[in-house]
Amino acid sequence: MGKYYFLASVLPVMPADLGEKLPHPFAEIAGIIQRNIEPDDASLVQSILFSIDVANFEAIHQGRDIFIEGGMLAREEIESKRNLPLFMRNFLDEKDRGIRRSYIFDALWERYYAYSYSLAQEMGCRFLADYLAWEIGLRNQLVALRAKEKRTEAEDYILLPHVGGHDLTALIAHVKSQKNPLLAERALDEERLRQVFHCEGDDPFSLNAVLAALERARIFSRWEKMDLPCNIEDII
């Protein structure tokens, strides 16, 4: 039996379909996990939650009034640039020196992915290493699709090109065939949920299962407010 029997037993059951509400707000689910995770595993939980902080940092520093609850940082910390993780501080240092990218926040996402992927490999975390490799590969293939449609070069927007390598031809074709951007994003998140299931392993009480539950809850939380406007560019 895995070491997280108690934690797995107190986590809520996830919805059946995207668009259904979580039993508890995502921030509460993340809090349950953080309070019950062993200290040696805490950095892996934080690495998943840092993705929310990166999205919030990107939005706030672009002047958009968007803040997603459940990350490691409060809005005030992001706005004042306090208590930031090292990869985020390094991004700010790079920004001050001048970032040679068409979109400067790609540099922030690349630093985040590099940190999280390296951490997963160093700690031997199969779920996070496999899932991030798939996610990074998906993002790069979506970038290539978008660049092709706009007749621009994708190279400047690619992150960590040595990571990934999955054959996502069928998924990309399915996304491209969607005329409604919301349906395209739904197709991507449905595939993300399948990848979470594929990467979590067989032990329902393992660290991998707990991290999978956290990522699963994060994906479902994106679909709780279906009346919000959708921008297809947000998915890449």
Side-chain angles (χ1 to χ4, degrees):
M1 182 180 296
K3 62 180 178 179
Y4 285 114
Y5 176 80
F6 172 77
L7 177 52
S9 68
V10 298
L11 288 175
V13 176
M14 292 295 110
D17 295 303
L18 293 173
E20 297 180 6
K21 286 190 174 296
L22 289 165
H24 305 291
F26 173 76
E28 288 187 18
I29 296 173
I32 292 171
I33 293 174
Q34 287 180 279
R35 288 190 297 272
N36 290 279
I37 203 75
E38 293 188 3
D40 288 347
D41 298 331
S43 60
L44 293 166
V45 171
Q46 292 168 5
S47 71
I48 292 177
L49 299 180
F50 278 148
S51 68
I52 298 173
D53 296 322
V54 172
N56 286 334
F57 186 100
E58 181 180 15
I60 288 171
H61 289 282
Q62 287 182 321
R64 291 185 285 157
D65 188 22
I66 297 173
F67 187 81
I68 305 168
E69 299 290 343
M72 295 297 299
L73 300 172
R75 180 192 287 266
E76 295 75 18
E77 290 176 308
I78 293 176
E79 290 174 339
S80 61
K81 302 176 184 177
R82 292 185 295 108
N83 302 324
L84 302 181
L86 180 60
F87 71 82
M88 207 173 274
R89 298 199 304 272
N90 288 341
F91 163 76
L92 289 173
D93 290 342
E94 183 184 2
K95 183 172 177 287
D96 289 341
R97 295 193 302 270
I99 295 176
R100 296 183 177 182
R101 279 184 178 270
S102 299
Y103 181 64
I104 64 169
F105 289 102
D106 279 344
L108 175 58
W109 281 105
E110 185 163 58
R111 286 185 178 275
Y112 161 70
Y113 282 128
Y115 161 76
S116 295
Y117 186 66
S118 295
L119 177 69
Q121 290 186 309
E122 290 169 8
M123 297 188 65
C125 179
R126 176 201 160 189
F127 170 78
L128 197 57
D130 290 353
Y131 182 71
L132 282 176
W134 180 87
E135 178 68 35
I136 293 166
L138 172 63
R139 184 202 180 280
N140 286 338
Q141 292 193 41
L142 289 171
V143 163
L145 172 63
R146 181 181 170 197
K148 183 177 180 180
E149 291 176 344
K150 293 188 174 184
R151 297 181 179 180
T152 60
E153 292 295 326
E155 183 177 356
D156 190 41
Y157 301 92
I158 295 294
L159 308 184
L160 303 179
H162 60 285
V163 178
H166 299 77
D167 183 4
L168 302 175
T169 305
L171 175 60
I172 297 299
H174 179 56
V175 170
K176 185 178 179 180
S177 70
Q178 301 300 315
K179 303 302 181 184
N180 184 330
L182 191 63
L183 292 179
E185 187 167 2
R186 185 184 180 93
L188 289 170
D189 275 349
E190 287 173 342
E191 186 59 32
R192 286 187 173 100
L193 289 174
R194 283 190 283 270
Q195 286 301 313
V196 168
F197 174 79
H198 174 74
C199 294
E200 69 178 312
D202 299 327
D203 185 351
F205 309 121
S206 66
L207 172 63
N208 287 330
V210 171
L211 297 176
L214 180 62
E215 178 62 10
R216 193 176 286 117
R218 189 191 69 82
I219 294 169
F220 276 111
S221 71
R222 284 162 40 89
W223 290 87
E224 290 187 310
K225 296 182 179 180
M226 299 297 290
D227 57 333
L228 293 180
C230 170
N231 183 351
I232 189 62
E233 295 187 1
D234 289 343
I235 66 179
I236 62 173

